[in-house]
Amino acid sequence: DPTEFAVAEIPRRAARDFVEAHHYLGSSPPCRVAVGLFRNARPASRLVGVAMFTVPVQAAALPLHTGLPASAGVELGRLVLLDEVASNGETWMLRRAFAALRAARPAVEAVTAYSDPTPRFGPSGSQIHVGHVGHIYYAYAGPNSYRGQRPSRRVLMTPDGQVFPARTISKIRNGERGAAGGVDALVRKGAPPPKDHDLRGWFAGLAESGFLTARKAAGVHAYAFALTRTARRAAEALPRPPRPVRGPLDPRGDITGLPLFAR
């Protein structure tokens, strides 16, 4: 019932707290604009969903998937709705979240998003993420929004079943700015604190001890949303990969049905 809900820009801190509490990754990337879905319960509205528009991990992905310069786009880094929000709530929110994004950042003309088809399991063996191929994005924007599946990759998993970000790994190994945040995150997950300034050696020890485990992860599915006429025209020149479908789990740990085609 749309009359029960409202969408508005919210403070990034409020969005971060909600995402870290309810998203399966339990983390939030650097955010540019945050939009909330509110349920107008009495006597006060409640936050029941968040869309975080974030800094892309790779700037080259925006031109690749949108046909526009990197400065013209952002990434939909997190989209989280509570289970109480009924069917179609995701697409209903997306439309209004994109409008709020444009109002806050008029220079943004396109948005990229990714779906992770790799199931995730916690230390007890319980499933914390079923894997998905982007049905919500496809339902919202149609076949022209799909940009294909990226290659599989080697990742390091923490004991709680999460992929430790490759960029954070690089910061720790090279002693870059921001490495301390990555170290703190690993310590909170149970890693022993580093005893000296040799972060590269400390990180290597986590892998050798089995605290971090290597795994081959399926490539994510990429989507792009054109928010302006200019963006739609740029997207027309891009290839049209076949739509992914959800299939049985294969040996790669990828829930994507193969071959990739729509029925």
Side-chain angles (χ1 to χ4, degrees):
D1 182 357
T3 63
E4 293 186 12
F5 296 90
V7 174
E9 185 180 359
I10 62 174
R12 286 175 286 183
R13 182 181 182 86
R16 184 194 66 193
D17 292 345
F18 185 93
V19 166
E20 292 181 357
H22 299 290
H23 193 273
Y24 74 94
L25 289 178
S27 64
S28 57
C31 181
R32 290 183 175 174
V33 176
V35 179
L37 175 68
F38 292 89
R39 189 159 204 158
N40 298 318
R42 301 297 183 265
S45 296
R46 293 182 294 110
L47 186 64
V48 294
V50 164
M52 293 184 74
F53 296 102
T54 61
V55 179
V57 176
Q58 295 181 340
L62 279 162
L64 176 65
H65 298 314
T66 70
L68 297 174
S71 59
V74 294
E75 183 176 313
L76 178 59
R78 297 286 187 271
L79 177 64
V80 190
L81 275 66
L82 298 184
D83 290 341
E84 69 179 73
V85 180
S87 298
N88 300 328
E90 294 88 353
T91 51
W92 189 88
M93 181 188 181
L94 271 181
R95 182 175 300 279
R96 288 153 182 82
F98 288 151
L101 171 66
R102 285 278 296 158
R105 300 286 191 276
V108 172
E109 299 189 70
V111 176
T112 56
Y114 300 93
S115 63
D116 184 356
T118 304
R120 305 281 180 83
F121 299 88
S124 65
S126 59
Q127 191 173 59
I128 59 177
H129 175 56
V130 298
H132 64 106
V133 298
H135 286 156
I136 294 168
Y137 304 146
Y138 192 92
Y140 173 80
N144 290 346
S145 63
Y146 183 59
R147 296 290 181 258
Q149 186 174 19
R150 297 173 66 179
S152 61
R153 65 203 191 282
R154 298 290 294 180
V155 298
L156 289 177
M157 308 285 292
T158 54
D160 56 356
Q162 304 292 358
V163 174
F164 198 65
R167 184 68 187 98
T168 306
I169 293 174
S170 177
K171 290 179 180 179
I172 293 174
R173 286 173 170 167
N174 298 320
E176 299 176 26
R177 181 179 179 182
V183 171
D184 290 343
L186 289 172
V187 171
R188 287 195 300 270
K189 291 177 183 289
K195 296 181 180 180
D196 51 38
H197 297 293
D198 181 18
L199 294 183
R200 178 182 289 271
W202 172 77
F203 189 82
L206 296 181
E208 293 172 359
S209 68
F211 179 85
L212 296 172
T213 57
R215 178 180 174 184
K216 185 177 181 180
V220 296
H221 294 282
Y223 288 83
F225 309 98
L227 307 184
T228 66
R229 181 178 299 177
T230 299
R232 286 190 289 273
R233 288 176 176 170
E236 290 174 356
L238 299 176
R240 298 282 186 270
R243 173 193 176 186
V245 295
R246 198 180 194 284
L249 186 66
D250 76 2
R252 297 179 305 158
D254 183 349
I255 57 87
T256 307
L258 298 172
L260 299 178
F261 64 93
R263 290 191 181 278

